[in-house]
Amino acid sequence: MLIRGGRLVDTAGDRPGDLRVEGERIAETGPLLEPHDREEVVDASGLIVVPGGIDAHTHLQLPVGKTKVSDDFRTGTAAAAIGGTTTVIDYVTAYRGEDPLAALATWRRWAEPAAIDVGLHMTFTEAVAEATVAACVEQGVTSFKCYMAYPETLQVDDGVILDVLRAAGRHGGLVTVHAENGSAIQALRRQALAEGRTGVFEHSLTRPAALEAEAVSRAAVLAELAGTPLYVVHLSSAPALAAVRAARQRGVEILAETCPQYLRLGPELLQRSDGENFVCTPPLRDPWHQEELWQGLADGGVHTVATDHCPFTVADRRAGLAGRSSGWADFTEIPGGLPGIETRLALVWEGVTAGRLSVRDWVRLCAEAPAKTFGLWPRKGSLAPGSDADVVLWDPSLRQGLDAEDLHMRTDHSPYAGQTVTGWPALVLSRGRVVARAGRFVGEAGWGRYLPRQPRAGAIG
Ligand code: MN
């Protein structure tokens, strides 16, 4: 396939040009490529040709309490493809008492129906042997997650985090953290419940930004001691970003990810009658935090945009983590998480339209930086010859509604209901195969492959 007359944007720059796909790879790019015999020619005039998006933070098929997220790998990756994402890195969660390698095997099986390529991170919820970390790296899982929140189910203490950082560092891995001070949050939650404050908005009040910033600072110190790079997932607030900047200033290798919901949605949404549909963790923050995060995206303070895609249906949210037919009893029972795997590129593109980001920034945040950070570069996130032909032809004039019925994620509500965006993929290729065309999925379940990821050079693994 020859994609002609587009505007190519990737790490090599922003220039007019053509791109040739042969089989599953990009064969060449150049100013004026001649079509070969019987080659399919796609007219990309007026379109921006970019590497497929990489969503480095998703939860597909994940069991959560008595419920589970509503997208599986088949539906979630089809929705991702429609929105221009051609790789997801999903979080395996090894719950306490579970063998992480058995959990990894389960996720790899779950991921088989994926329509686009899938990498996996590993989440540890208790102390782990270094041999387990090494075995994960061996299977191409080179990033690990520790939760500093949710003491009942997921949180590990600082000693475990330090051990995981050290082990990961030795084997060329990277550690990601959910940075919120879970013990302090638990105290605030207990107090709220004791005072009869049980409503949705308490979710926001009991998770203040200061406790996110504190956890970022603490994790940065642990990473500094271990000498292992740290990646903070779903950074949501200005004080937490300030903590990232301060750590980096003194030489800590710390990277931060944010998500579109933290750039666009505010906590007042939790006060609506359907407020439970806006519960996510960390909680939505006031607009001044959003401004700081946009600034961070432009100046490098924030390194990537992922989604933390974690959708539930309205009914599942209402039933809550305890699965009550009468509905959740208080805010601590509401499953947290928002749908977003389909809308990430378009929502970050709004920053380009608004003049906050360049097109290059957009590509860097949504594809290139996640590829480089998570051991997929240059196979993914690049338009260079030899890279996988994961290519998006972005139409900056295409209008797209954001109601649940306009989108393809398997949920019946949308955090952006009633809104539209301008800018959406006209054509999406996954390893050379067309998987989406102007809002329609035309790929196939099972096309996606498992992506073993590279460890960092210089490690013993
Ligand atoms: Mn998450």
Side-chain angles (χ1 to χ4, degrees):
M1 176 189 289
L2 180 61
I3 298 166
R4 282 184 116 178
R7 172 181 169 192
L8 309 185
V9 184
D10 75 342
T11 192
D14 181 341
R15 70 284 186 195
D18 303 344
L19 180 147
R20 171 169 284 124
V21 173
E22 279 175 10
E24 298 193 358
R25 302 287 175 86
I26 293 169
E28 59 179 328
T29 57
L32 284 169
L33 302 180
E34 286 304 317
H36 293 160
D37 262 0
R38 289 188 298 174
E39 190 173 43
E40 181 184 353
V41 176
V42 175
D43 177 12
S45 51
L47 305 180
I48 305 174
V49 181
V50 296
I54 299 176
D55 189 344
H57 187 164
T58 65
H59 300 286
L60 297 170
Q61 207 147 335
L62 178 74
V64 182
K66 291 234 165 86
T67 181
K68 65 173 185 163
V69 302
S70 51
D71 265 318
D72 57 23
F73 279 88
R74 186 180 59 79
T75 60
T77 57
I82 293 169
T85 287
T86 53
T87 299
V88 298
I89 313 179
D90 197 80
Y91 276 97
V92 178
T93 300
Y95 285 106
R96 288 172 195 155
E98 288 178 1
D99 173 9
L101 296 173
L104 175 54
T106 301
W107 252 260
R108 285 190 61 169
R109 185 162 43 77
W110 284 350
E112 279 168 12
I116 56 171
D117 290 351
V118 175
L120 297 170
H121 310 276
M122 173 59 69
T123 308
F124 298 124
T125 56
E126 59 190 343
V128 64
E130 182 169 341
T132 305
V133 171
C136 289
V137 171
E138 193 93 343
Q139 293 195 43
V141 175
T142 55
S143 43
F144 303 92
K145 184 177 188 183
C146 291
Y147 280 88
M148 303 174 81
Y150 304 113
E152 315 80 5
T153 48
L154 299 167
Q155 184 174 328
V156 291
D157 68 24
D158 295 349
V160 172
I161 296 172
L162 186 57
D163 283 341
V164 171
L165 279 161
R166 285 209 170 108
R170 283 165 59 80
H171 294 276
L174 164 80
V175 175
T176 77
V177 286
H178 174 128
E180 284 185 301
N181 184 324
S183 305
I185 287 167
Q186 197 180 37
L188 295 177
R189 284 157 63 112
R190 264 199 305 265
Q191 192 182 358
L193 295 181
E195 291 170 6
R197 294 186 279 117
T198 58
V200 178
F201 196 62
E202 300 299 329
H203 171 74
S204 170
L205 295 178
T206 54
R207 307 188 89 93
L211 294 180
E212 183 184 18
E214 184 279 330
V216 169
S217 301
R218 182 158 37 99
V221 170
L222 299 173
E224 188 173 13
L225 284 172
T228 303
L230 180 75
Y231 178 97
V232 182
V233 300
H234 54 43
L235 198 84
S236 71
S237 70
L241 175 54
V244 168
R245 293 189 194 276
R248 199 176 293 156
Q249 195 112 51
R250 64 172 199 274
V252 183
E253 199 177 341
I254 180 171
L255 302 169
E257 159 198 292
T258 192
C259 310
Q261 56 269 34
Y262 300 117
L263 297 168
R264 187 163 172 122
L265 303 176
E268 72 285 352
L269 293 164
L270 277 72
Q271 289 172 314
R272 294 184 357 181
S273 58
D274 62 347
E276 66 196 18
N277 294 341
F278 295 90
V279 169
C280 58
T281 308
L284 302 174
R285 310 287 192 191
D286 286 322
W288 72 276
H289 296 277
Q290 300 166 23
E291 287 302 316
E292 293 284 327
L293 292 172
W294 277 113
Q295 181 55 43
L297 292 176
D299 69 20
V302 181
H303 186 65
T304 57
V305 182
T307 62
D308 196 9
H309 178 70
C310 190
F312 298 96
T313 61
V314 170
D316 284 349
R317 270 181 192 280
R318 177 52 55 89
L321 297 169
R324 294 176 203 278
S325 54
S326 55
W328 49 266
D330 65 64
F331 70 96
T332 67
E333 291 187 358
I334 304 170
L338 300 181
I341 204 168
E342 186 174 0
T343 48
R344 179 181 62 124
L345 264 59
L347 292 172
V348 182
W349 179 260
E350 298 275 284
V352 176
T353 310
R356 298 174 191 263
L357 301 175
S358 68
V359 179
R360 271 286 294 129
D361 290 333
W362 176 66
V363 172
R364 170 174 58 79
L365 293 161
C366 294
E368 188 181 311
K372 289 177 173 171
T373 301
F374 291 108
L376 293 170
W377 180 266
R379 179 171 173 191
K380 301 292 190 188
S382 159
L383 296 179
S387 292
D388 280 356
D390 291 1
V391 182
V392 172
L393 275 58
W394 186 260
D395 184 343
S397 68
L398 215 50
R399 276 171 72 82
Q400 171 69 41
L402 299 181
D403 289 350
E405 47 274 25
D406 299 323
L407 299 168
H408 305 83
M409 299 172 282
R410 190 158 68 187
T411 179
D412 48 1
H413 73 97
S414 166
Y416 311 100
Q419 303 176 31
T420 59
V421 284
T422 305
W424 197 258
L427 195 72
V428 180
L429 272 63
S430 160
R431 297 194 335 271
R433 184 201 204 287
V434 176
V435 289
R437 214 182 271 282
R440 217 156 34 84
F441 177 66
V442 295
E444 68 180 302
W447 171 256
R449 288 203 196 123
Y450 171 67
L451 288 171
R453 295 181 290 113
Q454 297 299 316
R456 298 191 160 223
I460 62 171

